[in-house]
């Protein structure tokens, strides 16, 4: 059966080139620029930058965690990946920093207790403990370019980057021992990152330097 397509609600010019990391903290949309290595707090109603800070590397992904943000940061000449805590008031922590498994990983989500880190080429999402050790491994069956928890379920952007940026949004329940990942809709642009503001999903169209909000078709979750 042919999948429907997501319904775009708004499409904005990114405040900086190559928008990559994206996270909604309950009031503000945070975006990280891949090439500029800076992060931006955005007021989505007026679409203006509230603040801008330098990141300690490439901000590949972000997720809100108990009043702060956790970022996947690529560091050094080999782009080794670390998860670093960011406090909007004090900035990036020099001490709250854990290495990603095998120094690889990109997108993040959070279930209220644990971080979940995806590995693009291994087609999997890893549940991590506070030290970065792997607690659980979930096979997604495709490349992963974003995921977010909504009402206890994980929504994930999955597909193939090459040759033509073919992406879908899917979801699954963690309660299943071997989760069944079900595609919901086609995402018709080269999406990067996924977050949810309580009403709309958001993703980056990085190649176009745009940020997009959307809903799901057929009356499904917003």
């Amino acid at each position: 059966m042919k999948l429907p397509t997501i319904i775009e609600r708004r499409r904005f010019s990114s405040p900086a080139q190559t928008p990559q990391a994206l996270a909604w903290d309950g009031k503000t949309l945070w975006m990280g620029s891949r090439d500029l290595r800076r992060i931006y707090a955005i007021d989505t109603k007026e679409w203006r930058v509230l603040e801008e800070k330098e990141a300690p590397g490439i901000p590949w992904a972000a997720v809100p965690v108990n009043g702060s943000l956790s970022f996947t940061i690529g560091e050094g000449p080999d782009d080794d990946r670390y998860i670093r805590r960011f406090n909007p008031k004090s900035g990036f922590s020099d001490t709250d920093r854990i290495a990603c498994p095998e120094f690889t990983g990109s997108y993040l989500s959070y279930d209220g207790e644990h971080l979940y880190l995806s590995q693009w080429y291994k087609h999997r999402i890893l549940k991590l403990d506070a030290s970065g050790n792997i607690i659980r491994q979930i096979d997604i069956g495709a490349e992963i370019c974003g995921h977010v928890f909504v009402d206890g379920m994980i929504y994930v952007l999955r597909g193939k980057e090459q040759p033509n940026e073919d992406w879908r949004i899917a979801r699954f329940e963690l309660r299943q021992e071997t989760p069944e990942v079900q595609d919901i809709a086609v995402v018709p642009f080269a999406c990067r990152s996924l977050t949810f503001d309580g009403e709309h999903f958001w993703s980056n169209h990085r190649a176009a330097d745009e940020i997009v909000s959307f809903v799901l078709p057929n009356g499904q979750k917003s």
Side-chain angles (χ1 to χ4, degrees):
M1 188 176 75
K2 184 178 180 181
L3 287 175
T5 301
I6 61 164
I7 302 168
E8 288 193 20
R9 290 299 189 217
R10 304 164 81 187
R11 183 178 278 258
F12 299 98
S13 293
S14 171
Q17 66 190 52
T18 55
Q20 173 62 38
L22 203 62
W24 173 261
D25 71 0
K27 297 183 295 184
T28 303
L29 186 68
W30 290 85
M31 185 276 289
S33 165
R34 183 194 66 183
D35 292 355
L36 298 183
R37 302 188 178 198
R38 302 185 70 82
I39 64 172
Y40 304 80
I42 304 169
D43 179 335
T44 58
K45 292 182 179 179
E46 298 185 11
W47 201 252
R48 63 185 181 92
V49 173
L50 300 173
E51 60 179 300
E52 173 185 348
K53 294 183 182 294
E54 185 176 0
I58 301 172
W60 286 107
V63 68
V65 177
N66 301 331
S68 63
L69 294 163
S70 286
F71 278 83
T72 306
I73 299 291
E75 301 183 20
D78 294 326
D79 190 25
D80 290 335
R81 305 294 169 87
Y82 294 85
I83 298 173
R84 298 186 64 148
R85 184 66 61 91
F86 172 80
N87 185 308
K89 293 182 179 179
S90 58
F92 281 93
S93 170
D94 292 327
T95 57
D96 196 344
R97 171 179 177 268
I98 59 175
C100 296
E102 303 162 333
F103 296 104
T104 64
S106 48
Y107 300 98
L108 293 167
S109 56
Y110 182 65
D111 68 1
E113 186 177 358
H114 294 95
L115 284 172
Y116 291 72
L117 171 75
S118 55
Q119 293 181 317
W120 180 292
Y121 294 110
K122 294 191 175 183
H123 302 174
R124 64 184 188 176
I125 294 177
L126 305 175
K127 180 180 180 179
L128 305 178
D129 68 13
S131 300
N133 299 307
I134 299 171
I135 301 173
R136 184 180 181 187
Q137 176 179 314
I138 304 161
D139 180 30
I140 303 302
E143 295 168 14
I144 302 162
C145 66
H147 45 98
V148 64
F149 273 88
V150 180
D151 295 339
M153 299 187 74
I154 294 186
Y155 288 74
V156 57
L157 298 171
R158 69 171 184 167
K160 294 174 65 176
E161 180 181 18
Q162 300 295 334
N164 297 311
E165 295 276 6
D166 178 20
W167 299 103
R168 301 168 301 284
I169 185 168
R171 67 183 169 201
F172 62 91
E173 291 191 47
L174 282 174
R175 290 176 294 179
Q176 299 173 334
E177 184 175 343
T178 304
E180 181 183 354
V181 185
Q182 297 182 321
D183 289 328
I184 302 169
V186 171
V187 182
F189 59 89
C191 47
R192 297 294 187 274
S193 289
L194 184 66
T195 193
F196 185 69
D197 68 5
E199 184 178 0
H200 301 101
F201 290 95
W202 291 80
S203 187
N204 295 307
H205 187 178
R206 189 179 70 193
D209 290 335
E210 293 178 332
I211 302 174
V212 181
S213 73
F214 66 91
V215 297
L216 302 181
N218 303 329
Q220 300 181 72
K221 185 68 186 181
S222 295

